[in-house]
Amino acid sequence: MSQVKADAKAPTCARRAAPMSPHLQIWRWHVTMAASIATRATGVALYVGLLIVVGGALTLALGPSAYGTFMTVMGSPLGLLVLFGLAVSIFYHLAAGLRHLAFDSGKGFLPATANATAWASFAFGIVAAIAVFIGAFMIKG
Amino acid sequence: MGDSSYRTPLSRARGLGSAHDGVARFISERATSVALVPLSLWAIYGALKISHAGYAGATAFLQSPVNAVLAVLLIAVTALHMKMGMQVIIEDYVHQPRSKIPALLLNSAVCWLAGALGVFSILKVALLGAGAH
C-alpha cells in the first residue's frame, strides 16, 4: 500500500505525493526565463530596500545620533554589500520594467529581440550599479 | 484603485468578467511603473547628493519643496507598486486560503505602514527643519 502513488498532488493529501518529472534540472536555461525570474527576485529585494529607505527616513526624523547610527551601519562592509545589491536590483528592475512596458504595447516579442533586451537588462543592472558606486566614492573624495 | 473612467458603459453594466476583477489593477501597475522611472532616477541622484553630506546635508536637501515632494511621491508610489507586486507573488505561490489571506493582509499592512512612516518622516524633516527632534 505504501508503494501506491497518490493520483493528485494536493498539498493536504495524506498519502505520498506522486514524484514530479524533473524540470529545473532538465530544461535548458533561456535568458528570457532568467530575466523573468530576476525581475521578480529584484522586486522582492527592492521591497526590502524600501523598508530600509523608510528606516533611514525615520532615523533622519529622529535626530542626528539616530541618523548617524544608520549611516554607520550602511557604510559598514555588510551595509555596502546590501547597498550594492539594491543598486543592481533597482537598475535591473528598471530596465526589465521598461522591457515589460514595451511588451505591453506589443513590441519586442521576436525571440531575437526578447533575448537581446534581456541580456541588455542584465548588463545595464550591473554596469549602472558600478557607475553609481564609483560616483559615490568620487563624491566622498 | 478604482479607476472607472477607463471602463466602457457596457463593461460597467455587465459587471466584472470571469476574473471578478476589472482592469484597474493592470492600469495601476503600469501607471506606478511609469511614474517610478523618473522617480527612481531622481532617487539615485538624491541618494548620491546626501550620501556624504551628513545629517545637516540630508535635512537641508529636504528643505527644498521640490525635493520634499518628490521624496514623498517616491515613497508613496513605491509602496503602492510594491504592494501590488508582492500581492501577485503571494497569489502565485500560496494557495491555501488559511495562509494566503493572512499573507495578503500582512503585505498590505507592511506597505501601508512603510508608506505612512516614510511620508511622515520626510514631511517632519521638511516642515520642521533640522532642529525639531
Side-chain angles (χ1 to χ4, degrees):
Chain A
M1 193 59 193
S2 62
Q3 295 308 308
V4 172
K5 292 174 183 162
D7 47 10
K9 291 206 297 288
T12 51
C13 184
R15 283 182 291 172
R16 183 168 38 166
M20 299 194 308
S21 50
H23 47 88
L24 286 176
Q25 299 103 302
I26 299 276
W27 193 260
R28 180 171 66 87
W29 274 88
H30 302 260
V31 68
T32 46
M33 158 187 171
S36 177
I37 291 169
T39 305
R40 180 163 280 194
T42 53
V44 174
L46 290 167
Y47 189 104
V48 175
L50 183 87
L51 298 179
I52 294 174
V53 166
V54 166
L58 199 55
T59 61
L60 193 62
L62 289 171
S65 65
Y67 185 69
T69 307
F70 173 80
M71 287 304 273
T72 305
V73 168
M74 294 319 293
S76 70
L78 184 62
L80 288 174
L81 188 64
V82 167
L83 277 175
F84 186 73
L86 287 174
V88 173
S89 295
I90 201 170
F91 287 118
Y92 172 78
H93 196 86
L94 174 63
L98 290 170
R99 189 166 166 263
H100 278 86
L101 287 171
F103 287 156
D104 284 343
S105 73
K107 293 180 171 19
F109 281 109
L110 287 177
T113 313
N115 289 346
T117 53
W119 282 114
S121 301
F122 282 117
F124 178 74
I126 296 172
V127 168
I130 291 174
V132 164
F133 262 66
I134 291 176
F137 280 111
M138 277 166 42
I139 291 173
K140 185 176 169 181
Chain B
M1 290 252 111
D3 225 339
S4 58
S5 59
Y6 289 106
R7 302 192 58 190
T8 61
L10 182 61
S11 83
R12 269 199 289 267
R14 280 187 176 154
L16 302 170
S18 61
H20 308 298
D21 195 359
V23 76
R25 170 67 48 74
F26 182 89
I27 289 174
S28 292
E29 285 176 1
R30 272 72 190 163
T32 55
S33 300
V34 168
L36 281 170
V37 174
L39 275 173
S40 49
L41 291 173
W42 173 85
I44 301 289
Y45 152 77
L48 281 173
K49 196 132 198 285
I50 67 171
S51 59
H52 294 103
Y55 179 80
T59 51
F61 179 79
L62 288 178
Q63 299 311 300
S64 150
V66 174
N67 290 339
V69 167
L70 288 176
V72 163
L73 288 177
L74 175 76
I75 301 271
V77 176
T78 302
L80 180 57
H81 182 87
M82 78 192 214
K83 178 205 169 281
M84 293 190 291
M86 187 57 77
Q87 182 172 337
V88 172
I89 292 175
I90 292 168
E91 287 167 351
D92 275 353
Y93 300 133
V94 184
H95 302 296
Q96 297 291 317
R98 65 166 174 264
S99 29
K100 183 168 90 167
I101 291 167
L104 289 172
L105 288 172
L106 184 64
N107 174 46
S108 278
V110 166
C111 293
W112 272 100
L113 195 60
L117 274 171
V119 168
F120 179 84
S121 299
I122 290 166
L123 288 177
K124 178 177 188 259
V125 171
L127 293 171
L128 301 178
H133 55 80

